[in-house]
Structures are given as C-alpha cells and as structure tokens.
C-alpha cells in the first residue's frame, strides 16, 4: 500500500491509556500512526515500539497540545513520517489538580482543564482541517475527526467541577466541526468514555467498582478498559459506521441510560 493511500492517524495523548489502546487497534487495522505525548520520554518510546511491532509506519511526535503555536509543527512532523493524515484523534486530556468543593475550585485548575481538554481540541482540529482541505483527497480513504470528551460532558461530578465544564465544551467542539466539515465529506465524532480503568481513575476505581456491584451504576457490570474505547475509535476511523457524523458515542456500559 502506498503512503498516499494508507490510512494515517495522529493520536494525541497516546503514550498510555486510551490513546495508546486506540493507536494499537488502528495499527492492527493497517493505519500508520503518529503518537503524541507531552515529552519524548521512555513511555512514548515504549508506545512507539509496541505499535512498530505491528508492522505499520509509526512516529513519535512529542509536544504539549496546550501550546497552540506547536500544532503546525506537530502535524508537519506526523505527515513527514507516516504520510498525509486521514484521521485526527484528540484524546489528550487532564483531570483536576485536586478533587473538592466547586466553591473551592482554583483558577489554575480551571484554566488547565480548559487549555488541554477544550481549547487544544478546538485549535488542533482547526489546524488539521485547514491542512486537509488545502490538498486533494480523492484517494478512497475515509476521513474522520474523533474527539474524546467524557460522560461528564452531561453528568455532573461535583468534586471535579472544572473538568465537567471543560468536557461540556469539548462536546460542543465536536458538534461545531461536524457542522463545518460535513459538506467536505469528513466525519466527526464525540467519544464519551465512562468509567475506564486508566491512571486518571486509579484512585477511585475500587469505589466505582463497588458501586457497580452494589448499585448497578453501569448496566454492564464492570469497569471499562482502554481497549474497549480503542476498538470503538478504530471502528469509527475505518468508516464502519457509514452515513454518520456529529454522533455522540457513549462508551460507558449504559451508565447514563435514564432509569427509575
């Protein structure tokens, strides 16, 4: 397969967790993958080795997505290594600096959530879309923008108020770009993970598992795994849900299904 016809994805926040799971699943489906983390550290190098073992083009593109001035150079580096991108997955995200009362939220924590979870998603999506629309795309590939928000885009977690606000903003980023890019035949999706076993949820995973077991917090009675979300992302990126865009894909085991 030539570099120009192979699907190629840039996945932010992919040195571990959901991002790495998505990168590995994309690689299994033949995608070239550009991995991203805030630093070119051993974690990112280990992720690169894991993807490379699947026999696809892979690159490390280190950089802080909150640094908007670095977006163009990151996309340039990704495309120089694995070819023209067909897919952008905005997965990078942070939680609050400390959990607590919304009345005690600091400006520092609020701004950090907004900068990475919302603002970076918007402007990296913008930069990627501009590059994409500036070139010919008659190559038979499926083009998609996949943003990761959260169940907390709609469900309030009181101790993480600023995170919830940022994820609600992230959800609207997907809606805006779905409207703008639909006429360009580019699909946009909002992935909303629920309770997934990652470093971000490690401190509270036992509490949530107990609530799942005792209260039926999720309909499928287990915590999710990064691989669950990664498989959903790869399914979307390969165009296996045709004639869809602007959709919210809740990977949450039915947690937010209204019940009496």
């Amino acid at each position: 397969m030539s570099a120009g016809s192979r699907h190629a994805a840039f996945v932010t926040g992919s040195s571990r967790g959901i991002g790495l799971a998505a990168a590995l699943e994309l690689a299994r489906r033949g995608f070239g993958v550009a991995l991203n983390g805030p630093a070119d550290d051993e974690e990112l190098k280990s992720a690169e080795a894991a993807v490379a073992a699947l026999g696809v083009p892979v690159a490390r593109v280190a950089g802080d997505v909150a640094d908007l001035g670095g977006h163009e150079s990151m996309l340039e580096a990704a495309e120089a290594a694995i070819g023209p991108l067909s897919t952008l997955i905005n997965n990078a995200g942070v939680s609050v600096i400390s959990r607590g009362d919304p009345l005690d939220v600091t400006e520092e924590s609020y701004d950090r959530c907004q900068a990475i979870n919302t603002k970076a998603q918007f402007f990296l999506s913008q930069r990627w879309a501009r590059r994409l629309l500036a070139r010919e795309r008659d190559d038979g590939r499926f083009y998609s923008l996949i943003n990761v928000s959260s169940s907390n885009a709609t469900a309030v977690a009181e101790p993480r108020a600023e995170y919830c606000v940022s994820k609600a903003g992230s959800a609207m980023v997907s809606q805006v770009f779905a409207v703008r890019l639909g006429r360009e035949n580019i699909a946009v999706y909002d992935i909303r993970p629920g309770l997934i076993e990652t470093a971000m949820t490690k401190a509270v995973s036992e509490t949530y598992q107990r609530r799942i077991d005792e209260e039926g917090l999720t309909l499928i009675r287990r915590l999710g795994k990064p691989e669950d979300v990664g498989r959903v992302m790869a399914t979307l990126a390969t165009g296996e849900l045709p004639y869809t865009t602007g959709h919210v894909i809740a990977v949450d085991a039915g947690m937010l299904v209204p019940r009496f």
Side-chain angles (χ1 to χ4, degrees):
M1 184 180 293
S2 70
S5 61
R6 179 192 293 272
H7 277 90
F10 182 38
V11 187
T12 69
S14 48
S15 57
R16 60 181 177 178
I18 290 172
L20 177 55
L24 290 168
E25 187 60 33
L26 288 166
R28 292 185 189 102
R29 301 186 188 207
F31 278 65
V33 182
L35 300 162
N36 162 262
D40 193 19
D41 55 14
E42 289 305 313
E43 194 170 51
L44 189 59
K45 292 174 183 176
S46 176
E48 179 189 37
V51 174
L54 295 171
V56 299
V58 60
R60 302 191 313 272
V61 182
D64 181 359
V65 295
D67 176 13
L68 306 188
H71 286 180
E72 184 68 17
S73 61
M74 286 194 289
L75 293 171
E76 290 255 10
E79 295 198 325
I82 67 170
L85 296 173
S86 58
T87 309
L88 172 63
I89 297 182
N90 280 311
N91 168 74
V94 294
S95 189
V96 300
I97 292 176
S98 62
R99 298 165 67 92
D101 192 324
L103 302 183
D104 297 325
V105 169
T106 64
E107 186 176 4
E108 178 189 10
S109 186
Y110 183 94
D111 287 349
R112 177 172 173 264
C113 285
Q114 287 289 329
I116 296 173
N117 299 347
T118 311
K119 188 175 181 180
Q121 275 197 4
F122 185 97
F123 285 102
L124 187 56
S125 298
Q126 180 193 74
R127 182 68 66 176
W128 172 78
R130 285 176 175 173
R131 291 176 63 91
L132 193 55
L133 298 184
R135 68 172 188 254
E136 292 294 326
R137 290 178 286 119
D138 186 19
D139 55 14
R141 298 190 298 171
F142 181 77
Y143 287 86
S144 62
L145 168 63
I146 300 172
N147 293 325
V148 178
S149 63
S150 167
S151 296
N152 292 128
T154 56
V156 174
E158 185 177 320
R160 295 182 294 126
E162 62 271 45
Y163 175 83
C164 296
V165 171
S166 70
K167 289 300 187 177
S170 164
M172 183 52 71
V173 171
S174 297
Q175 294 294 297
V176 167
F177 279 92
V179 171
R180 174 60 183 88
L181 297 179
R183 60 182 176 269
E184 309 291 351
N185 202 30
I186 299 167
V188 181
Y189 302 102
D190 173 12
I191 297 284
R192 295 190 186 176
L195 303 174
I196 311 297
E197 292 183 286
T198 65
M200 189 182 291
T201 61
K202 186 175 181 179
V204 293
S205 61
E206 288 187 8
T207 299
Y208 281 129
Q209 185 61 61
R210 185 169 60 251
R211 292 187 62 191
I212 289 170
D213 293 337
E214 297 176 0
E215 304 171 21
L217 182 61
T218 59
L219 303 185
I220 299 170
R221 297 204 170 187
R222 67 172 175 86
L223 291 167
K225 298 183 181 301
E227 293 76 14
D228 296 324
V229 188
R231 287 178 62 189
V232 170
M233 289 181 178
T235 298
L236 294 171
T238 50
E240 293 178 35
L241 270 69
Y243 201 53
T244 63
T245 193
H247 290 67
V248 173
I249 311 295
V251 191
D252 67 353
M255 182 172 61
L256 298 188
V257 172
R259 287 169 276 172
F260 290 97

